[in-house]
Coordinates of all heavy atoms in Angstrom, one line a residue:
Chain A
M61 N -97.0 -107.8 53.5 CA -97.9 -107.9 52.4 C -99.2 -107.3 52.7 O -99.8 -106.6 51.8 CB -98.1 -109.4 52.1 CG -99.5 -109.9 52.1 SD -99.7 -111.7 52.0 CE -101.4 -111.9 52.1
D62 N -99.7 -107.4 53.9 CA -101.1 -107.0 54.1 C -101.2 -105.6 54.8 O -101.6 -105.5 55.9 CB -101.8 -108.0 55.0 CG -102.2 -109.2 54.1 OD1 -103.0 -108.9 53.2 OD2 -101.7 -110.3 54.3
L64 N -103.5 -103.6 54.1 CA -104.9 -103.5 54.4 C -105.3 -104.1 55.7 O -106.1 -103.5 56.4 CB -105.7 -104.1 53.2 CG -107.1 -103.7 53.1 CD1 -107.2 -102.2 52.9 CD2 -107.7 -104.4 51.9
Y65 N -104.7 -105.2 56.0 CA -105.1 -105.9 57.2 C -104.0 -105.6 58.3 O -103.4 -106.5 58.9 CB -105.2 -107.4 56.9 CG -106.4 -107.6 56.1 CD1 -106.3 -107.8 54.7 CD2 -107.7 -107.7 56.6 CE1 -107.4 -107.9 53.9 CE2 -108.8 -107.8 55.8 CZ -108.6 -107.9 54.5 OH -109.8 -108.1 53.7
Y73 N -111.4 -105.9 64.9 CA -112.3 -106.8 64.3 C -112.5 -108.0 65.3 O -113.7 -108.3 65.6 CB -111.8 -107.3 63.0 CG -112.6 -108.5 62.4 CD1 -114.0 -108.3 62.0 CD2 -112.1 -109.7 62.2 CE1 -114.7 -109.3 61.4 CE2 -112.8 -110.8 61.6 CZ -114.1 -110.6 61.2 OH -114.9 -111.6 60.7
K74 N -111.4 -108.5 65.7 CA -111.5 -109.7 66.6 C -112.0 -109.4 68.0 O -112.7 -110.2 68.6 CB -110.2 -110.5 66.5 CG -110.0 -111.2 65.2 CD -108.7 -111.9 64.9 CE -108.3 -112.9 65.9 NZ -107.0 -113.6 65.4
P94 N -126.0 -103.1 50.7 CA -126.7 -104.1 49.8 C -125.7 -104.9 49.0 O -126.1 -106.0 48.6 CB -127.5 -103.2 48.9 CG -126.9 -101.8 48.9 CD -126.2 -101.7 50.3
C96 N -123.0 -106.5 49.9 CA -122.5 -107.7 50.6 C -123.3 -108.1 51.8 O -122.9 -109.1 52.4 CB -121.0 -107.5 50.9 SG -120.8 -105.9 51.8
D98 N -123.4 -106.6 54.6 CA -122.9 -106.1 55.9 C -124.0 -105.3 56.6 O -124.8 -104.6 56.0 CB -121.7 -105.1 55.7 CG -120.4 -105.8 55.2 OD1 -120.5 -107.1 55.1 OD2 -119.4 -105.2 55.1
H120 N -122.7 -107.4 61.6 CA -121.8 -108.4 61.0 C -121.3 -107.8 59.7 O -122.0 -107.0 59.0 CB -122.5 -109.7 60.9 CG -123.8 -109.7 60.1 ND1 -123.8 -109.5 58.7 CD2 -125.1 -109.6 60.4 CE1 -125.0 -109.5 58.3 NE2 -125.8 -109.5 59.3
G121 N -120.2 -108.3 59.4 CA -119.6 -107.9 58.1 C -118.1 -108.2 58.1 O -117.5 -108.9 59.0
C122 N -117.4 -107.6 57.1 CA -116.0 -107.9 57.0 C -115.2 -107.1 58.0 O -115.7 -106.3 58.8 CB -115.5 -107.4 55.6 SG -115.8 -105.7 55.3
A123 N -113.9 -107.5 58.1 CA -113.0 -106.9 59.1 C -113.0 -105.3 58.9 O -113.0 -104.6 59.9 CB -111.6 -107.4 58.9
R164 N -114.4 -101.5 48.6 CA -114.2 -101.6 50.1 C -114.4 -100.4 50.8 O -114.7 -100.4 52.1 CB -112.7 -102.2 50.4 CG -112.5 -103.5 49.8 CD -113.5 -104.5 50.2 NE -113.6 -104.8 51.6 CZ -112.9 -105.7 52.2 NH1 -112.1 -106.5 51.5 NH2 -113.1 -105.9 53.5
C167 N -117.6 -100.5 52.5 CA -117.6 -101.3 53.8 C -117.1 -100.4 54.9 O -117.7 -100.4 56.0 CB -116.6 -102.5 53.7 SG -116.9 -103.6 52.3
Chain B
G1072 N -114.8 -117.4 61.1 CA -114.2 -116.2 61.7 C -113.7 -115.2 60.7 O -113.2 -114.1 61.1
V1073 N -113.9 -115.4 59.4 CA -113.4 -114.5 58.5 C -114.5 -114.2 57.5 O -115.1 -115.1 56.9 CB -112.1 -114.9 57.7 CG1 -111.6 -113.8 56.8 CG2 -111.1 -115.5 58.6
H1074 N -114.8 -112.9 57.3 CA -115.9 -112.5 56.4 C -115.4 -112.8 54.9 O -114.2 -112.6 54.6 CB -116.2 -111.1 56.6 CG -117.4 -110.6 55.9 ND1 -117.4 -110.3 54.5 CD2 -118.7 -110.5 56.3 CE1 -118.6 -109.9 54.1 NE2 -119.4 -110.1 55.2
H1076 N -115.6 -111.1 52.3 CA -114.9 -110.0 51.7 C -113.5 -110.0 52.0 O -112.6 -109.7 51.2 CB -115.5 -108.7 52.2 CG -116.5 -108.1 51.3 ND1 -117.1 -106.9 51.5 CD2 -116.9 -108.5 50.1 CE1 -117.9 -106.6 50.5 NE2 -117.8 -107.5 49.6
D1077 N -113.2 -110.4 53.2 CA -111.8 -110.4 53.6 C -111.0 -111.5 53.0 O -109.9 -111.4 52.6 CB -111.7 -110.5 55.2 CG -112.3 -109.2 55.8 OD1 -112.0 -108.1 55.3 OD2 -113.0 -109.4 56.8
Q1080 N -110.4 -110.5 49.5 CA -109.4 -109.4 49.4 C -108.0 -110.0 49.5 O -107.1 -109.6 48.8 CB -109.7 -108.4 50.5 CG -108.8 -107.2 50.4 CD -109.4 -106.1 49.7 OE1 -110.6 -105.7 50.0 NE2 -108.8 -105.5 48.7
I1081 N -107.9 -110.9 50.4 CA -106.5 -111.5 50.6 C -106.2 -112.4 49.5 O -105.0 -112.4 49.0 CB -106.5 -112.2 52.0 CG1 -106.6 -111.1 53.1 CG2 -105.2 -113.0 52.2 CD1 -106.8 -111.7 54.5
R1084 N -104.6 -110.6 46.6 CA -103.1 -110.4 46.6 C -102.3 -111.3 45.7 O -101.3 -111.0 45.3 CB -102.6 -110.5 48.1 CG -103.2 -109.6 49.0 CD -102.9 -108.2 48.7 NE -103.7 -107.3 49.4 CZ -103.4 -106.7 50.6 NH1 -102.3 -107.0 51.2 NH2 -104.3 -105.9 51.2
G1092 N -119.9 -112.2 48.8 CA -121.2 -111.5 48.9 C -122.4 -112.5 48.9 O -122.2 -113.7 49.3
H1093 N -123.5 -112.0 48.6 CA -124.7 -112.9 48.5 C -125.0 -113.3 47.1 O -126.0 -114.0 46.8 CB -125.9 -112.4 49.3 CG -126.3 -111.0 48.9 ND1 -126.5 -110.6 47.6 CD2 -126.5 -109.9 49.6 CE1 -126.8 -109.4 47.6 NE2 -126.8 -108.9 48.8
P1106 N -124.7 -114.4 56.1 CA -124.9 -113.2 55.3 C -124.3 -113.3 54.0 O -124.7 -112.6 53.0 CB -124.3 -112.1 56.2 CG -123.4 -112.8 57.1 CD -123.9 -114.2 57.3
A1107 N -123.2 -114.0 53.8 CA -122.5 -114.0 52.6 C -121.6 -115.3 52.5 O -121.4 -115.9 53.5 CB -121.6 -112.8 52.5
V1135 N -103.3 -114.5 58.2 CA -103.5 -113.0 58.5 C -104.5 -112.9 59.7 O -104.3 -112.0 60.6 CB -104.2 -112.3 57.3 CG1 -104.6 -110.9 57.6 CG2 -103.2 -112.3 56.1
F1136 N -105.5 -113.7 59.8 CA -106.5 -113.6 60.8 C -106.1 -114.4 62.1 O -106.9 -114.4 63.0 CB -107.9 -114.0 60.3 CG -108.5 -112.8 59.6 CD1 -108.2 -112.5 58.3 CD2 -109.4 -112.0 60.3 CE1 -108.8 -111.5 57.6 CE2 -110.0 -110.9 59.6 CZ -109.7 -110.7 58.3
G1137 N -105.0 -115.1 62.0 CA -104.4 -115.7 63.2 C -105.2 -116.9 63.7 O -106.2 -116.8 64.3

Side-chain angles (χ1 to χ4, degrees):
Chain A
M61 123 190 177
D62 281 296
L64 197 58
Y65 292 95
Y73 171 66
K74 286 170 60 171
C96 48
D98 287 1
H120 53 78
C122 62
R164 298 308 297 269
C167 306
Chain B
V1073 189
H1074 190 277
H1076 259 182
D1077 297 318
Q1080 186 94 51
I1081 293 169
R1084 301 292 166 94
H1093 52 51
V1135 172
F1136 277 81

